[in-house]
PDB file of all heavy atoms in Angstrom:
ATOM      1  N   GLU A 159       4.266   4.218 -17.900  1.00 95.00           N
ATOM      2  CA  GLU A 159       3.281   4.749 -18.839  1.00 95.00           C
ATOM      3  C   GLU A 159       2.783   6.132 -18.419  1.00 95.00           C
ATOM      4  O   GLU A 159       2.644   7.032 -19.251  1.00 95.00           O
ATOM      5  CB  GLU A 159       2.101   3.772 -18.951  1.00 95.00           C
ATOM      6  CG  GLU A 159       2.444   2.445 -19.601  1.00 95.00           C
ATOM      7  CD  GLU A 159       3.139   1.460 -18.652  1.00 95.00           C
ATOM      8  OE1 GLU A 159       3.371   1.806 -17.466  1.00 95.00           O
ATOM      9  OE2 GLU A 159       3.462   0.354 -19.102  1.00 95.00           O
ATOM     10  N   GLY A 160       2.517   6.298 -17.132  1.00 93.00           N
ATOM     11  CA  GLY A 160       2.026   7.580 -16.645  1.00 93.00           C
ATOM     12  C   GLY A 160       3.034   8.698 -16.823  1.00 93.00           C
ATOM     13  O   GLY A 160       2.691   9.806 -17.284  1.00 93.00           O
ATOM     14  N   PHE A 161       4.295   8.421 -16.489  1.00 93.00           N
ATOM     15  CA  PHE A 161       5.323   9.452 -16.639  1.00 93.00           C
ATOM     16  C   PHE A 161       5.687   9.685 -18.107  1.00 93.00           C
ATOM     17  O   PHE A 161       6.101  10.786 -18.481  1.00 93.00           O
ATOM     18  CB  PHE A 161       6.571   9.080 -15.840  1.00 93.00           C
ATOM     19  CG  PHE A 161       6.478   9.425 -14.382  1.00 93.00           C
ATOM     20  CD1 PHE A 161       6.509   8.430 -13.416  1.00 93.00           C
ATOM     21  CD2 PHE A 161       6.367  10.738 -13.971  1.00 93.00           C
ATOM     22  CE1 PHE A 161       6.427   8.741 -12.065  1.00 93.00           C
ATOM     23  CE2 PHE A 161       6.279  11.063 -12.619  1.00 93.00           C
ATOM     24  CZ  PHE A 161       6.312  10.060 -11.667  1.00 93.00           C
ATOM     25  N   ALA A 162       5.522   8.649 -18.941  1.00 94.00           N
ATOM     26  CA  ALA A 162       5.800   8.838 -20.368  1.00 94.00           C
ATOM     27  C   ALA A 162       4.870   9.876 -20.978  1.00 94.00           C
ATOM     28  O   ALA A 162       5.256  10.614 -21.895  1.00 94.00           O
ATOM     29  CB  ALA A 162       5.650   7.508 -21.106  1.00 94.00           C
ATOM     30  N   GLN A 163       3.645   9.969 -20.455  1.00 92.00           N
ATOM     31  CA  GLN A 163       2.700  10.975 -20.941  1.00 92.00           C
ATOM     32  C   GLN A 163       3.166  12.391 -20.610  1.00 92.00           C
ATOM     33  O   GLN A 163       2.676  13.358 -21.193  1.00 92.00           O
ATOM     34  CB  GLN A 163       1.321  10.713 -20.350  1.00 92.00           C
ATOM     35  CG  GLN A 163       0.701   9.411 -20.823  1.00 92.00           C
ATOM     36  CD  GLN A 163      -0.623   9.103 -20.150  1.00 92.00           C
ATOM     37  OE1 GLN A 163      -1.242   9.978 -19.537  1.00 92.00           O
ATOM     38  NE2 GLN A 163      -1.063   7.874 -20.258  1.00 92.00           N
ATOM     39  N   ARG A 164       4.109  12.500 -19.664  1.00 91.00           N
ATOM     40  CA  ARG A 164       4.687  13.816 -19.329  1.00 91.00           C
ATOM     41  C   ARG A 164       6.035  14.012 -20.009  1.00 91.00           C
ATOM     42  O   ARG A 164       6.744  14.969 -19.713  1.00 91.00           O
ATOM     43  CB  ARG A 164       4.856  13.941 -17.814  1.00 91.00           C
ATOM     44  CG  ARG A 164       3.593  13.686 -17.043  1.00 91.00           C
ATOM     45  CD  ARG A 164       2.480  14.673 -17.434  1.00 91.00           C
ATOM     46  NE  ARG A 164       1.212  14.311 -16.846  1.00 91.00           N
ATOM     47  CZ  ARG A 164       0.814  14.698 -15.637  1.00 91.00           C
ATOM     48  NH1 ARG A 164       1.595  15.452 -14.894  1.00 91.00           N
ATOM     49  NH2 ARG A 164      -0.352  14.335 -15.183  1.00 91.00           N
ATOM     50  N   GLY A 165       6.409  13.074 -20.888  1.00 93.00           N
ATOM     51  CA  GLY A 165       7.632  13.233 -21.660  1.00 93.00           C
ATOM     52  C   GLY A 165       8.884  12.662 -21.026  1.00 93.00           C
ATOM     53  O   GLY A 165       9.989  12.898 -21.522  1.00 93.00           O
ATOM     54  N   LEU A 166       8.757  11.888 -19.939  1.00 95.00           N
ATOM     55  CA  LEU A 166       9.940  11.318 -19.287  1.00 95.00           C
ATOM     56  C   LEU A 166      10.354  10.015 -19.964  1.00 95.00           C
ATOM     57  O   LEU A 166       9.515   9.171 -20.297  1.00 95.00           O
ATOM     58  CB  LEU A 166       9.671  11.060 -17.800  1.00 95.00           C
ATOM     59  CG  LEU A 166       9.949  12.231 -16.848  1.00 95.00           C
ATOM     60  CD1 LEU A 166       8.922  13.331 -17.045  1.00 95.00           C
ATOM     61  CD2 LEU A 166       9.942  11.747 -15.399  1.00 95.00           C
ATOM     62  N   ALA A 167      11.651   9.856 -20.158  1.00 96.00           N
ATOM     63  CA  ALA A 167      12.194   8.627 -20.728  1.00 96.00           C
ATOM     64  C   ALA A 167      12.193   7.518 -19.684  1.00 96.00           C
ATOM     65  O   ALA A 167      12.112   7.779 -18.483  1.00 96.00           O
ATOM     66  CB  ALA A 167      13.610   8.874 -21.233  1.00 96.00           C
ATOM     67  N   ARG A 168      12.327   6.272 -20.131  1.00 96.00           N
ATOM     68  CA  ARG A 168      12.252   5.145 -19.217  1.00 96.00           C
ATOM     69  C   ARG A 168      13.347   5.190 -18.156  1.00 96.00           C
ATOM     70  O   ARG A 168      13.103   4.852 -16.991  1.00 96.00           O
ATOM     71  CB  ARG A 168      12.332   3.815 -19.987  1.00 96.00           C
ATOM     72  CG  ARG A 168      11.074   3.524 -20.797  1.00 96.00           C
ATOM     73  CD  ARG A 168      11.111   2.142 -21.418  1.00 96.00           C
ATOM     74  NE  ARG A 168      10.985   1.084 -20.426  1.00 96.00           N
ATOM     75  CZ  ARG A 168       9.821   0.645 -19.949  1.00 96.00           C
ATOM     76  NH1 ARG A 168       8.685   1.194 -20.340  1.00 96.00           N
ATOM     77  NH2 ARG A 168       9.789  -0.349 -19.077  1.00 96.00           N
ATOM     78  N   ASP A 169      14.552   5.591 -18.539  1.00 97.00           N
ATOM     79  CA  ASP A 169      15.614   5.638 -17.536  1.00 97.00           C
ATOM     80  C   ASP A 169      15.336   6.714 -16.488  1.00 97.00           C
ATOM     81  O   ASP A 169      15.672   6.548 -15.305  1.00 97.00           O
ATOM     82  CB  ASP A 169      16.989   5.846 -18.183  1.00 97.00           C
ATOM     83  CG  ASP A 169      17.084   7.126 -19.004  1.00 97.00           C
ATOM     84  OD1 ASP A 169      16.031   7.695 -19.365  1.00 97.00           O
ATOM     85  OD2 ASP A 169      18.215   7.548 -19.293  1.00 97.00           O
ATOM     86  N   GLU A 170      14.693   7.802 -16.889  1.00 97.00           N
ATOM     87  CA  GLU A 170      14.329   8.841 -15.930  1.00 97.00           C
ATOM     88  C   GLU A 170      13.269   8.337 -14.954  1.00 97.00           C
ATOM     89  O   GLU A 170      13.305   8.635 -13.758  1.00 97.00           O
ATOM     90  CB  GLU A 170      13.794  10.071 -16.667  1.00 97.00           C
ATOM     91  CG  GLU A 170      14.831  10.798 -17.515  1.00 97.00           C
ATOM     92  CD  GLU A 170      14.220  11.943 -18.291  1.00 97.00           C
ATOM     93  OE1 GLU A 170      13.335  11.690 -19.128  1.00 97.00           O
ATOM     94  OE2 GLU A 170      14.624  13.101 -18.055  1.00 97.00           O
ATOM     95  N   VAL A 171      12.332   7.552 -15.449  1.00 97.00           N
ATOM     96  CA  VAL A 171      11.297   6.993 -14.584  1.00 97.00           C
ATOM     97  C   VAL A 171      11.910   6.006 -13.599  1.00 97.00           C
ATOM     98  O   VAL A 171      11.542   5.967 -12.421  1.00 97.00           O
ATOM     99  CB  VAL A 171      10.190   6.319 -15.415  1.00 97.00           C
ATOM    100  CG1 VAL A 171       9.123   5.719 -14.496  1.00 97.00           C
ATOM    101  CG2 VAL A 171       9.562   7.314 -16.378  1.00 97.00           C
ATOM    102  N   GLY A 172      12.868   5.225 -14.069  1.00 97.00           N
ATOM    103  CA  GLY A 172      13.557   4.303 -13.179  1.00 97.00           C
ATOM    104  C   GLY A 172      14.223   5.008 -12.016  1.00 97.00           C
ATOM    105  O   GLY A 172      14.191   4.531 -10.877  1.00 97.00           O
ATOM    106  N   VAL A 173      14.789   6.171 -12.288  1.00 97.00           N
ATOM    107  CA  VAL A 173      15.408   6.974 -11.230  1.00 97.00           C
ATOM    108  C   VAL A 173      14.362   7.422 -10.219  1.00 97.00           C
ATOM    109  O   VAL A 173      14.587   7.390  -9.006  1.00 97.00           O
ATOM    110  CB  VAL A 173      16.146   8.191 -11.836  1.00 97.00           C
ATOM    111  CG1 VAL A 173      16.566   9.167 -10.734  1.00 97.00           C
ATOM    112  CG2 VAL A 173      17.358   7.740 -12.626  1.00 97.00           C
TER     113      VAL A 173
END
Side-chain angles (χ1 to χ4, degrees):
E159 293 80 0
F161 278 117
Q163 294 176 16
R164 306 300 171 87
L166 272 70
R168 289 187 70 84
D169 59 342
E170 293 176 298
V171 179
V173 169

